[in-house]
């Protein structure tokens, strides 16, 4: 095994890498993160901004993102209660780093990816 192969094997087995890639296994999580890029949002505003997300899917995504430290919940002591969600510094680093790079890649190569997918579906 070469040094490169050993490094790649470590990378694949690294639980930090798995934890990072797991962030994209839930369809709505990146969408919620992107919707919070502009700043704090109330749940209703967040759901409207995303569009097409069910209340349960939003609840599940918010719970996962809170548990991973990517977003934070701000409860304001008012009547009626007001709760807002926002990116943490960790969440912002993900949105402005890898997610932004993936977005640029999708804009540059998305048509080719979709064309390849269509060709592959015909086989």
């Amino acid at each position: 095994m070469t040094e490169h192969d050993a490094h790649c094997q470590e990378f694949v087995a690294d639980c930090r890498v798995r934890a990072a890639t797991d962030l994209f296994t839930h369809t709505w999580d990146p969408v919620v993160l992107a919707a919070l890029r502009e700043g704090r949002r109330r749940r209703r505003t967040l759901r409207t901004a995303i569009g097409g997300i069910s209340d349960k899917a939003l609840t599940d995504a918010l719970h996962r993102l809170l548990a991973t430290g990517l977003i934070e919940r701000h409860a304001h002591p008012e009547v009626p209660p007001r709760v807002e969600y926002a990116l943490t510094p960790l969440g912002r680093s993900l949105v402005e780093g890898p997610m932004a790079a993936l977005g640029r890649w999708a804009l540059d190569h998305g048509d080719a990816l979709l064309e390849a997918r269509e060709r592959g579906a015909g086989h």
Side-chain angles (χ1 to χ4, degrees):
M1 179 182 298
T2 69
E3 183 179 330
H4 174 73
D5 291 339
H7 177 70
C8 288
Q9 190 63 28
E10 286 176 25
F11 185 75
V12 170
D14 189 334
C15 64
R16 292 172 294 195
V17 173
R18 282 195 315 269
T21 56
D22 281 351
L23 298 172
F24 296 98
T25 60
H26 298 282
T27 303
W28 291 110
D29 293 8
V31 177
V32 172
L33 290 169
L36 289 171
R37 186 169 186 240
E38 300 303 316
R40 289 183 183 193
R41 290 192 179 205
R42 295 179 75 169
R43 181 187 176 83
R44 180 180 56 228
T45 308
L46 190 56
R47 188 167 177 209
T48 301
I50 293 170
I53 188 170
S54 71
D55 193 53
K56 181 181 180 341
L58 179 57
T59 297
D60 292 347
L62 291 171
H63 283 247
R64 278 190 303 273
L65 296 170
L66 284 163
T68 56
L70 296 173
I71 66 170
E72 56 194 6
R73 182 180 185 271
H74 300 273
H76 299 274
E78 302 173 352
V79 177
R82 181 170 54 105
V83 175
E84 296 174 317
Y85 296 91
L87 294 172
T88 62
L90 181 63
R92 183 154 304 283
S93 71
L94 177 64
V95 169
E96 293 177 354
M99 284 181 58
L102 181 60
R104 287 189 301 276
W105 182 87
L107 289 174
D108 292 345
H109 304 286
D111 290 341
L113 182 64
L114 292 174
E115 289 169 12
R117 183 180 288 174
E118 286 179 21
R119 283 192 308 271
H123 283 54

